[in-house]
Amino acid sequence: MEFDLSSYFAASLGLVLLLLVLKFIMHKTDTILKFGITGLYVLVILILMRGYLPFDFYKINLTTSFYSHKVLPFLREIFYYKINAGGKIMTVRQITLIIFIIGWIWMLCKKIYGYFAFNKFINSAPLYNKAGALQICEDVFYTIFPQDRKFDIKIVQSNILSSPAIFLSPNPIIILPDILFTEEELKFVFYHELIHLKHRDFIIKVATDFLIAAYWWNPVIRIYLFDIINHVQELNVDYEASKGLTKNEKLVYLNVISKTADYICKNKKKRKPIYALSDEHPLNILQRLNCIISSKVNGLTFKGIIVSIILFICSFTFVFEPSFRPTYDEMGNEVFEGNEELSYYIWDGTIYRLYIGGECVYKTSKIHEDFKDLPVYKEELK
């Protein structure tokens, strides 16, 4: 298991491809139902794991290097172009790495600051004042969690979001907007949010936020990752919340979602992400309603699990790297430039890494004929 820039960019590309597949599955409700809603949730967890594992796996013959002979070598030449930065010689690669690290730290600090700022705001929000709401919440709480767990839920009212949400502060806080729910509807509002708590969905959202910070430069990940994962979480909670309901109870649950959708549409200007929480798009809510109503809904399917695992494994199978481009002498012979003392192979038991002038320029399963006289080391030089 190794980490380098190639494996990092391969992980980014893998995330994009997995998100596109997930988006394709979720494009039609019928496809979701065949794949399985819980299967979608498993795929989401695997996608997050892929983002947090930006490594290649040559030693177990899982990862294969695909070499570019034009584009990546050209970019490599640009990356190693030297610039005089205030009297200090730096390569474009070094400057790019500094920009990446600064962007990552900035985004990470922004996310952490956002948590504490929102935590301070929501703890100062007024308590939800509907009579009997806390007792309804407690009754629902003990239907989901064992009796030995202490009820420590706080319910506040705020229109900072247009839909109900749950926030960990570190104790759970249920946030209710100014929607007129009946007591029966409140029961299902709390049931829905407490299932989110049971699934630890908020922690997954925080992990998603941090992952977005790590790939801040990738617009697909930055724009779509959170919304897609948030929608899958809602579908999964709806499935668990509604599968044991009677017909009348399901109608009440559907009415809760419909009221929320109507409130979101009337408050579009307020619809914006708040830390790791956000309102859903009305079209996503319509899909949720269709999934609840459908009699063909599946939770965990064998097909969904197998496809999810195969996609996850396949995302580790490729790394794109530049091939080393030699220069040529007057006779047209290839000339590889570099300090001979810093030119060697490193053998890790699976592949050879060719270093020219101290820089790794090539990975191969066998020694190149033109460099057969170079020393081979089992461990990288210090």
Side-chain angles (χ1 to χ4, degrees):
M1 186 169 67
E2 299 178 5
F3 171 79
D4 55 26
L5 283 178
S6 296
S7 63
Y8 171 66
F9 285 110
S12 172
L13 179 58
L15 278 174
V16 170
L17 294 175
L18 288 172
L19 283 175
L20 289 176
V21 172
L22 184 56
K23 191 75 174 174
F24 174 78
I25 294 171
M26 296 172 64
H27 181 66
K28 292 185 177 180
T29 303
D30 288 343
T31 311
I32 293 176
L33 300 179
K34 291 176 183 177
F35 191 87
I37 291 176
T38 309
L40 276 182
Y41 193 78
V42 171
L43 181 55
V44 158
I45 300 300
L46 293 176
I47 288 174
L48 289 179
M49 287 176 61
R50 179 63 182 104
Y52 279 101
L53 293 172
F55 306 108
D56 51 40
F57 294 86
Y58 289 105
K59 291 185 178 180
I60 59 173
N61 297 317
L62 177 60
T63 305
T64 301
S65 290
F66 294 89
Y67 292 97
S68 168
H69 297 280
K70 293 183 179 180
V71 178
L72 291 184
F74 174 71
L75 291 176
R76 185 178 186 278
E77 289 178 7
I78 294 176
F79 273 10
Y80 283 95
Y81 181 79
K82 294 180 180 179
I83 298 174
N84 190 331
K88 185 177 181 180
I89 303 299
M90 299 181 70
T91 63
V92 174
R93 179 176 181 269
Q94 290 172 325
I95 295 171
T96 304
L97 281 174
I98 291 171
I99 293 172
F100 276 153
I101 292 170
I102 290 174
W104 173 67
I105 293 174
W106 166 254
M107 289 292 289
L108 194 61
C109 290
K110 189 177 178 181
K111 300 289 185 184
I112 294 171
Y113 173 79
Y115 172 83
F116 287 105
F118 189 73
N119 179 66
K120 182 178 179 181
F121 168 82
I122 210 63
N123 272 292
S124 63
L127 296 175
Y128 188 66
N129 57 10
K130 187 176 179 67
L134 194 62
Q135 184 59 52
I136 294 172
C137 185
E138 185 173 358
D139 292 341
V140 173
F141 180 86
Y142 285 120
T143 64
I144 297 175
F145 298 99
Q147 292 287 336
D148 57 354
R149 176 163 177 168
K150 183 181 178 182
F151 176 75
D152 54 1
I153 308 292
K154 182 180 178 182
I155 309 171
V156 301
Q157 184 163 15
S158 174
N159 288 327
I160 194 168
L161 291 167
S162 298
S163 60
I166 190 163
F167 180 80
L168 297 187
S169 177
N171 291 331
I173 298 177
I174 293 177
I175 307 163
L176 297 180
D178 190 19
I179 303 177
L180 295 177
F181 290 119
T182 65
E183 288 190 4
E184 186 67 14
E185 288 169 344
L186 268 180
K187 169 186 167 184
F188 289 104
V189 170
F190 295 142
Y191 192 56
H192 180 96
E193 298 307 325
L194 291 174
I195 291 177
H196 275 304
L197 181 64
K198 176 186 175 183
H199 292 172
R200 295 177 174 83
D201 282 343
F202 184 79
I203 295 173
I204 293 173
K205 287 178 178 177
V206 173
T208 303
D209 256 352
F210 286 169
L211 191 63
I212 291 171
Y215 296 91
W216 63 270
W217 50 272
N218 189 315
V220 176
I221 295 173
R222 191 177 66 250
I223 296 171
Y224 296 107
L225 180 62
F226 185 87
D227 285 342
I228 291 175
I229 288 179
N230 183 63
H231 184 41
V232 172
Q233 287 181 333
E234 294 300 327
L235 288 170
N236 190 48
V237 169
D238 286 340
Y239 170 73
E240 182 169 336
S242 62
K243 64 182 179 181
L245 300 181
T246 64
K247 183 178 179 180
N248 289 335
E249 288 174 331
K250 188 174 285 190
L251 287 173
V252 176
Y253 188 76
L254 290 168
N255 195 49
V256 168
I257 298 175
S258 298
K259 274 189 177 181
T260 302
D262 184 58
Y263 189 81
I264 290 173
C265 290
K266 291 178 180 177
N267 294 270
K268 285 184 178 179
K269 292 182 179 180
K270 297 179 182 178
R271 188 181 178 272
K272 58 180 181 179
I274 304 294
Y275 183 57
L277 304 173
S278 69
D279 295 319
E280 277 219 276
H281 192 279
L283 289 177
N284 288 346
I285 295 180
L286 180 61
Q287 189 176 67
R288 288 173 57 191
L289 293 171
N290 290 333
C291 286
I292 294 170
I293 294 169
S294 176
S295 58
K296 299 178 181 179
V297 63
N298 287 308
L300 199 61
T301 65
F302 180 76
K303 182 192 299 181
I305 291 297
I306 294 299
V307 170
S308 297
I309 293 173
I310 290 174
L311 289 172
F312 176 69
I313 293 173
C314 286
S315 69
F316 289 96
T317 58
F318 58 86
V319 169
F320 295 98
E321 298 188 78
S323 63
F324 186 67
R325 298 201 324 183
T327 56
Y328 298 87
D329 60 18
E330 294 178 353
M331 303 298 294
N333 297 318
E334 295 180 349
V335 178
F336 293 86
E337 298 177 352
N339 188 332
E340 191 172 336
E341 293 181 358
L342 294 177
S343 300
Y344 48 86
Y345 283 103
I346 293 176
W347 171 249
D348 65 2
T350 305
I351 63 166
Y352 292 95
R353 291 178 181 271
L354 173 60
Y355 283 75
I356 302 291
E359 296 288 344
C360 180
V361 297
Y362 199 73
K363 296 176 186 176
T364 178
S365 59
K366 61 182 180 178
I367 292 177
H368 196 284
E369 181 66 25
D370 293 334
F371 302 104
K372 63 183 179 181
D373 295 327
L374 290 180
V376 179
Y377 301 101
K378 289 187 177 180
E379 295 182 358
E380 190 167 343
L381 296 178
K382 301 295 183 182

